[in-house]
Amino acid sequence: MELKAYLAARAAEVDAAMDVFLPKAKERPATIHGAMRYAVFAGGKRLRPVLCLAAAEACGGGISTALAPACAVELMHTYSLVHDDLPSMDDDDLRRGRPTCHKVYGEGMAVLCGDALLTEAFVVLAKTPATPRYGTREYIAELAETGGSRRLIGGQVMDLEGEGKKLTRSELVRIHEAKTAALLTTSLRLGAMTANTTAAKLTALTTFGHALGLAFQIIDDILDVTQSTEVLGKTAGKDAAVEKATYPSIIGLKASRKEAAKLTKAALDSLRLLGKKAVRLEQIAAYLLKREY
Ligand code: GRG
């Protein structure tokens, strides 16, 4: 199967599972459930859940047992987008090609929607079947650590505090690690855990996720400068407008592209231990380097 067809098929499986896991739009109180579904079913790339499923496959596992953690990471990701778009954070009107959650449902409801998505992520994650090496305790600890103040929220704090300031390259890397690479890495690790993978393979996937996550964020920063709002489905040129430090603003576009390519190569190198089964992860890493939105 071509990579594009693979990505579309996996995303469709994730969407179908999410439809089952999430409360129905009419379930009371209907406003919050409508808002949650509005934010989730808005056409995201589903990168994190696809990485989770591909990592399960790369470690010899199946798709069906990895669907719960795949949906859980997408729910956490969607919560972070809803809250990031709030007027008190990035203050954005457009996300995934549609008005942001608070524009449609109001600010209070968008705060609650993010809270509910984050909580639901753990409800869904707890449905993951245990394996001999990993059970609910390991799954929950993995996702909770990534969502907490040392990673996702810490990254957002550093990001907010860095606005309008000149950051060093290493400060920027720390933000990218916490904000972006951590959840990509956890998506891979959770998928691998459902396949009862070895500690060595988990370490290899952690190295892969770290490098891939940094490359993904650099590409995201490049696209913010080079692409249109229509193509991105979110406001382009935002980083420069709020004087946010990015790779392009610190080292320029050309050097940023080189850095993303270097990180992608490092990511690919780290997959050696997984052998031929990791072919989808390899293809995804190569595809993300060339992505246009
Ligand atoms: C806890 C509020 C809060 C924030 C944590 C993750 C994050 C920090 C903020 C979200 C916004 C942001 C710019 C995150 C960086 C990672 C990134 C590039 C997200 C966009 O991911 P895509 O391109 O989005 O995979 P889609 O819409 O395709 O799912």
Side-chain angles (χ1 to χ4, degrees), residues 19-28 30 33-34 37:
D19 188 39
V20 173
F21 287 136
L22 283 177
K24 296 286 169 246
K26 282 190 181 152
E27 188 174 327
R28 283 193 288 179
H33 298 137
R37 282 177 170 266

Side-chain angles (χ1 to χ4, degrees), residues 6 8-18 53 63 67 71:
Y6 172 87
R10 291 287 171 262
E13 282 168 312
V14 168
D15 281 10
M18 203 97 78
L53 299 178
I63 295 300
L67 272 172
C71 291

Side-chain angles (χ1 to χ4, degrees), residues 51-240:
L51 285 175
C52 180
L53 299 178
E57 287 181 301
C59 295
I63 295 300
S64 58
T65 43
L67 272 172
C71 291
V73 294
E74 185 66 11
L75 289 171
M76 181 177 275
H77 168 59
T78 308
Y79 128 77
S80 79
L81 299 180
V82 170
H83 278 192
D84 185 64
D85 290 334
L86 287 169
S88 54
M89 300 249 181
D90 247 19
D91 192 11
D92 233 309
D93 294 353
L94 195 69
R95 171 68 68 181
R96 294 175 161 172
R98 303 209 287 188
T100 42
C101 192
H102 66 271
K103 281 280 152 191
V104 178
Y105 288 91
E107 221 177 305
M109 198 55 66
V111 171
L112 291 171
C113 174
D115 293 342
L117 291 171
L118 175 59
T119 311
E120 201 63 30
F122 289 95
V123 174
V124 172
L125 184 64
K127 297 183 194 295
T128 314
T131 69
R133 288 194 182 95
Y134 313 99
T136 313
R137 183 198 295 252
E138 285 75 24
Y139 299 141
I140 298 282
E142 177 72 34
L143 191 62
E145 279 168 24
T146 285
S149 57
R150 292 189 175 97
R151 307 240 170 87
L152 223 55
I153 291 175
Q156 185 76 346
V157 170
M158 291 188 271
D159 199 55
L160 277 178
E161 291 181 343
E163 272 182 22
K165 286 191 193 139
K166 259 198 171 321
L167 298 186
T168 63
R169 189 168 161 168
S170 61
E171 284 170 328
L172 186 62
V173 170
R174 281 186 61 207
I175 296 178
H176 288 184
E177 281 172 341
K179 255 184 80 171
T180 311
L183 190 53
L184 264 62
T185 303
T186 277
S187 305
L188 294 155
R189 285 174 56 92
L190 283 170
M193 285 156 81
T194 66
N196 194 37
T197 202
T198 61
K201 285 185 183 172
L202 215 48
T203 302
L205 283 171
T206 305
T207 309
F208 173 71
H210 180 259
L212 184 76
L214 293 182
F216 180 78
Q217 185 60 59
I218 295 173
I219 299 292
D220 200 74
D221 290 352
I222 292 172
L223 293 175
D224 183 72
V225 182
T226 57
Q227 277 292 14
S228 67
T229 296
E230 290 68 36
V231 171
L232 295 180
K234 59 183 180 181
T235 315
K238 193 75 199 294
D239 296 336

